[in-house]
Amino acid sequence: MRMSDQQTFLRDAMRRMNLTRDNFSDRIGVRKRALDTWLLPETSGEFRVMPDIVSKFVNEILAGESTKSPLTQSVYIARPDAPLREQISYNGKPQLLSVDQFSRDSLEQLFRVTDIMQPIARRQKVSRILEGAVLANLFFEASTRTRISFGAAFCRLGGSVCDTTGFTFSSMTKGESIYDTSRVISGYVDALVVRHPEQGAVDEFARATNIPVINGGDGPGEHPSQAILDLYTIQREFSRLGKLIDGAHIVMAGDLKYGRTVHSLIKLLALYRGLRFTLIAPPGLEMPAHILDRIARGGHVVEQSTSLAQGLKGADIVYATRIQKERFADEAIEGYTPDFQINQAMIDATCSADTIVMHPLPRDGRPGANDLSTDLNHDPRLAIFRQTDNGIPVRMAIFATLLGVENQVQHSMRDVSWRSPHHVGPDDAVFDGLD
Ligand code: CP
């Protein structure tokens, strides 16, 4: 087994067995210290190769686990042994429109593909598995992360990208329908990523084509790839901290009415067991009732609050969101009040050393917005750039799965020929390195 395969194999095994590092080392009968050395980057002086006997034993345990029934089934699920693209298909097509297409099992399969993509995302390996394929990025609403990271993910797998931004330079301004636009572009490219200001509009694009369509955000509706990368980030952070998602305390704070990322994320988190959600929103911007009902039906505890100082106590995850003023109907809120701002003082006063602070970004840095403060930038608990970094392997995994090449990626990799800095950002934590 190659070194990077060893890390992927072990991380996937822990995830599938739903065990922390401590519990996993107990379960397979090895010392925690030994397991830690097998999980280190191969460039570390303390890295060790795992003995064959251990990998055989872990494989035997996993074979036993796979005969158990999946924990949760999505309404869209095909046979549990079907290829992942069939399991998560939407109306029989390889398209990603909603997080409802996932069960816990299929989500964790996608995370396994994401782990395989990490050496490419971390600029150690290159792959040309999508060579010749063309992506159209159709963004009818502002975006930095989603548009660039979908494009970069496609390019890092060897594909090419065509972009269009806004309505101004699209023939939709001449009255062209979504159906015609989608069908025409489908004759030019192999996949579409679409962001649109109206909820349901991306579904309309998807109905007009058989090629993969990915929802890059539809108004206040959903943003599935953001939720998937958020959950992947939570899993990685918890793995580092020795925690499990089952039983975690998740705080979501901010504009929970119009924030599509929280709508998608809370539904994905609800696939896990026994979570406690504390939802903190200014009056008038609370989480929609239909989502609350669904979460409560899943047996999770849901508390609502308007006080950050109270609600943040005991949080494993604090997930902040921007006020989505561009979606306001008749709301008069200009920005968060100062007592609503998540900053260093608030986190220090209410949270523990292993609380993780997240935000889908962009955060609104304008005066009076009182969005997530930049004074947390040096605090390793702030995971916002780990989230954005994880957007690349997650989106590569989505493309590879929808285009049916996920099983060929590992063998397509070769070493990079250039050098990258060890840390991408000046404030990155030690564990953020590209190793
Ligand atoms: N998180 C997110 O969707 O960011 P962008 O709007 O910049 O794509």
Side-chain angles (χ1 to χ4, degrees):
M1 188 179 290
R2 289 195 324 228
M3 313 306 170
S4 56
D5 296 351
Q6 173 174 307
Q7 292 166 15
T8 303
F9 171 78
L10 287 169
R11 271 204 296 267
D12 181 56
M14 284 189 275
R15 203 157 46 213
R16 286 166 64 187
M17 291 158 71
N18 199 28
L19 295 175
T20 62
R21 262 189 210 201
D22 285 355
N23 295 342
F24 182 72
S25 58
D26 284 349
R27 176 76 177 84
I28 64 173
V30 301
R31 291 188 16 208
K32 166 88 176 4
R33 176 77 197 116
L35 176 63
D36 286 344
T37 62
W38 304 336
L39 283 161
L40 282 169
E42 60 197 275
T43 48
S44 161
E46 294 183 46
F47 169 83
R48 296 287 176 274
V49 176
M50 170 177 62
D52 282 347
I53 184 104
V54 177
S55 62
K56 276 190 194 139
F57 183 47
V58 173
N59 272 323
E60 277 171 23
I61 298 172
L62 290 175
E65 294 275 320
S66 69
T67 59
K68 296 178 189 167
S69 58
L71 292 164
T72 317
Q73 291 285 349
S74 146
V75 289
Y76 298 108
I77 285 285
R79 297 185 330 267
D81 60 340
L84 183 54
R85 75 200 285 257
E86 282 178 33
Q87 291 183 48
I88 63 169
S89 68
Y90 189 84
N91 293 334
K93 299 180 192 176
Q95 300 180 331
L96 175 55
L97 301 177
S98 164
V99 292
D100 289 341
Q101 292 168 245
F102 284 90
S103 65
R104 179 165 168 173
D105 187 54
S106 56
L107 191 60
E108 299 199 347
Q109 287 181 56
L110 185 75
F111 288 165
R112 180 150 196 254
V113 181
T114 305
D115 283 346
I116 290 169
M117 297 295 185
Q118 282 288 5
I120 308 173
R122 290 174 170 259
R123 302 138 205 225
Q124 296 149 358
K125 301 281 179 189
V126 286
S127 166
R128 306 289 301 165
I129 200 76
L130 291 186
E131 186 165 22
V134 181
L135 168 73
N137 250 339
L138 310 181
F139 277 67
F140 300 102
E141 201 182 52
S143 170
T144 295
R145 274 144 292 276
T146 314
R147 186 169 64 87
I148 306 286
S149 65
F150 266 121
F154 208 80
C155 290
R156 285 200 185 274
L157 290 175
S160 315
V161 182
C162 303
D163 268 292
T164 176
T165 47
F167 287 96
T168 314
F169 300 107
S170 153
S171 284
M172 284 181 161
T173 52
K174 303 176 205 164
E176 189 165 37
S177 66
I178 287 180
Y179 184 95
D180 285 3
T181 307
S182 178
R183 172 61 190 87
V184 167
I185 297 174
S186 301
Y188 305 156
V189 302
D190 303 286
L192 295 176
V193 178
V194 185
R195 172 172 286 190
H196 198 283
E198 284 163 35
Q199 187 165 353
V202 184
D203 287 41
E204 240 181 296
F205 272 91
R207 280 195 294 274
T209 179
N210 291 327
I211 69 169
V213 173
I214 299 169
N215 182 357
D218 62 329
E222 282 220 37
H223 195 345
S225 65
Q226 177 72 46
I228 294 167
L229 76 88
D230 288 339
L231 188 60
Y232 181 75
T233 303
I234 292 172
Q235 278 220 341
R236 280 183 80 91
E237 297 290 317
F238 276 14
S239 167
R240 180 172 58 78
L241 295 166
K243 293 183 178 183
L244 292 177
I245 296 180
D246 290 323
H249 178 199
I250 313 284
V251 176
M252 293 182 167
D255 180 352
L256 307 184
K257 180 175 180 180
Y258 293 111
R260 58 193 171 201
T261 63
V262 282
H263 298 167
S264 293
L265 178 59
I266 198 166
K267 288 190 223 168
L268 277 190
L269 283 163
L271 295 174
Y272 289 76
R273 282 187 262 200
L275 273 75
R276 178 178 158 207
F277 293 103
T278 303
L279 306 177
I280 311 171
L285 295 180
E286 292 89 358
M287 183 71 80
H290 68 95
I291 298 179
L292 291 176
D293 288 348
R294 176 170 163 168
I295 305 310
R297 278 202 306 276
H300 304 286
V301 174
V302 182
E303 300 151 353
Q304 295 201 71
S305 171
T306 51
S307 164
L308 264 190
Q310 288 301 318
L312 292 187
K313 285 183 188 154
D316 293 302
I317 297 289
V318 176
Y319 192 98
T321 62
R322 176 180 66 87
I323 286 201
Q324 312 275 309
K325 227 173 143 187
E326 66 275 24
R327 305 197 198 291
F328 277 11
D330 46 13
E331 290 84 351
I333 299 168
E334 286 302 313
Y336 294 121
T337 52
D339 59 323
F340 219 89
Q341 187 178 43
I342 295 174
N343 54 27
Q344 187 80 59
M346 177 69 79
I347 292 295
D348 286 346
T350 57
C351 296
S352 68
D354 63 4
T355 300
I356 296 299
V357 181
M358 302 174 68
H359 190 301
L361 302 182
R363 56 179 158 175
D364 188 343
R366 289 172 289 196
N370 292 313
D371 201 344
L372 178 67
S373 173
T374 53
D375 71 359
L376 279 159
N377 281 8
H378 299 275
D379 190 322
R381 290 176 290 187
L382 188 75
I384 56 175
F385 300 119
R386 300 197 283 282
Q387 281 173 267
T388 52
D389 289 349
N390 284 333
I392 294 290
V394 164
R395 288 176 169 128
M396 285 197 289
I398 291 170
F399 283 131
T401 300
L402 295 181
L403 290 161
V405 296
E406 77 275 19
N407 294 328
Q408 299 166 43
V409 174
Q410 201 139 33
H411 298 294
S412 73
M413 290 188 205
R414 56 187 168 77
D415 289 342
V416 295
S417 55
W418 71 91
R419 295 185 71 82
S420 300
H422 191 259
H423 286 85
V424 178
D427 289 325
D428 286 2
V430 177
F431 51 80
D432 286 343
L434 286 180
D435 286 333

